[in-house]
Amino acid sequence: MTRPTIVLVHGAFADASSYAPVTTRLLKRGFKVVAPGVPNRSLLGDAAYVASVVRNVGGPVVLVGHSYGGAVITMAGTEENVKALVYLSGYALEEGESLGELQGGFPDSKLGAALVFTPSPLADYDEKNPDVTVDVEKFPEVVAADVDPDLAAVLASSQRPLAGLAFAEKATAAAWRTKPAWAVVSSSDTTINPEVERFGYRRAGIDFVEIDASHMVMLSHPDEVVDIILQAVEATE
């Protein structure tokens, strides 16, 4: 079987550079890696975009999603050439479920109080669908507490906003029903309540590992994350 391409899907408030240490390690192992910039404009639109990226790869894909990217791969992972899913500190939504509904069943994390809502500069967005970011001063503590402070400051200053619409849109598919999946819980996560991660994975029947990490587990523990991705790769071979 052709060796799979690893497609790395970033989360909200981030871009593909958040995978830099993982990307470097995978490239050194000889893998083809694709780390697209997700628009972060709507859950359905982002899933459709990532699905198009996956189709363009052509061969087999291991699809990795961090945080909000987990919700995205839950739908995009239904593409025929996706052979395995990997969730990192992510949302494993059920079909017909929104991010807000999944999170609403658990105590709030520190993220809610740190969010900033601003009018989107895009003409087709209004006050009901603002751009959402994390307060720059609070970002290091809430999102990246175990990441080098200088890097955390860069991440805070270079956020990719998430459209508010993405919190309310409902997943139209659940790829974990038909695709093997692996997952990581960041047990010191203060962006997503770790119980939200555990619940989604258990409901989906996904075996998961716990890493004592902040939300940005792929930056603070890249070797462990690569090990999980390689487990998924091996299962496709």
Side-chain angles (χ1 to χ4, degrees), residues 33-142:
V33 178
V34 177
V38 181
N40 283 1
R41 292 292 86 196
S42 74
L43 178 57
L44 300 182
D46 293 339
Y49 172 73
V50 170
S52 73
V53 171
V54 167
R55 288 194 298 273
N56 286 336
V57 167
V61 164
V62 170
L63 189 56
V64 182
H66 172 247
S67 187
Y68 167 72
V72 173
I73 72 168
T74 294
M75 287 184 284
T78 59
E79 289 298 313
E80 184 177 355
N81 59 322
V82 173
K83 303 305 178 183
L85 308 169
V86 179
Y87 290 86
L88 305 174
S89 316
Y91 297 101
L93 294 179
E94 175 61 279
E95 184 175 352
E97 181 178 53
S98 70
L99 293 173
E101 289 169 339
L102 176 56
Q103 291 190 134
F106 299 87
D108 291 338
S109 68
K110 291 183 179 180
L111 179 65
L115 292 177
V116 176
F117 302 87
T118 56
S120 171
L122 300 179
D124 55 345
Y125 287 84
D126 58 29
E127 67 278 0
K128 296 180 181 179
N129 186 26
D131 275 351
V132 185
T133 55
V134 181
D135 183 282
V136 171
E137 298 300 321
K138 296 178 181 178
F139 187 101
E141 175 190 355
V142 173

Side-chain angles (χ1 to χ4, degrees), residues 7-226:
V7 177
L8 303 172
V9 181
H10 66 76
F13 324 125
D15 60 27
S17 67
S18 60
Y19 277 110
V22 169
T23 301
T24 298
R25 286 161 171 77
L26 291 171
L27 289 173
K28 287 182 176 179
R29 291 174 179 267
F31 286 99
K32 181 181 177 182
V33 178
V34 177
V38 181
N40 283 1
R41 292 292 86 196
S42 74
L43 178 57
L44 300 182
D46 293 339
Y49 172 73
V50 170
S52 73
V53 171
V54 167
R55 288 194 298 273
N56 286 336
V57 167
V61 164
V62 170
L63 189 56
V64 182
H66 172 247
S67 187
Y68 167 72
V72 173
I73 72 168
T74 294
M75 287 184 284
T78 59
E79 289 298 313
E80 184 177 355
N81 59 322
V82 173
K83 303 305 178 183
L85 308 169
V86 179
Y87 290 86
L88 305 174
S89 316
Y91 297 101
L93 294 179
E94 175 61 279
E95 184 175 352
E97 181 178 53
S98 70
L99 293 173
E101 289 169 339
L102 176 56
Q103 291 190 134
F106 299 87
D108 291 338
S109 68
K110 291 183 179 180
L111 179 65
L115 292 177
V116 176
F117 302 87
T118 56
S120 171
L122 300 179
D124 55 345
Y125 287 84
D126 58 29
E127 67 278 0
K128 296 180 181 179
N129 186 26
D131 275 351
V132 185
T133 55
V134 181
D135 183 282
V136 171
E137 298 300 321
K138 296 178 181 178
F139 187 101
E141 175 190 355
V142 173
V143 181
D146 59 353
V147 173
D148 177 88
D150 289 338
L151 177 55
V154 171
L155 296 172
S157 299
S158 57
Q159 294 178 62
R160 181 187 290 267
L162 180 68
L165 174 67
F167 292 102
E169 288 185 317
K170 298 179 184 292
T172 56
W176 46 259
R177 289 191 175 278
T178 57
K179 307 293 175 78
W182 286 256
V184 170
V185 170
S186 294
S187 58
S188 294
D189 200 336
T190 57
T191 301
I192 299 176
N193 182 336
E195 285 302 323
V196 174
E197 300 167 23
R198 295 184 187 104
F199 173 82
Y201 302 156
R202 287 174 178 145
R203 179 177 61 181
I206 303 171
D207 289 334
F208 60 88
V209 299
E210 302 234 1
I211 299 176
D212 184 12
S214 74
H215 191 59
M216 302 303 287
V217 61
M218 66 282 205
L219 284 173
S220 60
H221 292 76
D223 290 323
E224 292 95 321
V225 167
V226 168

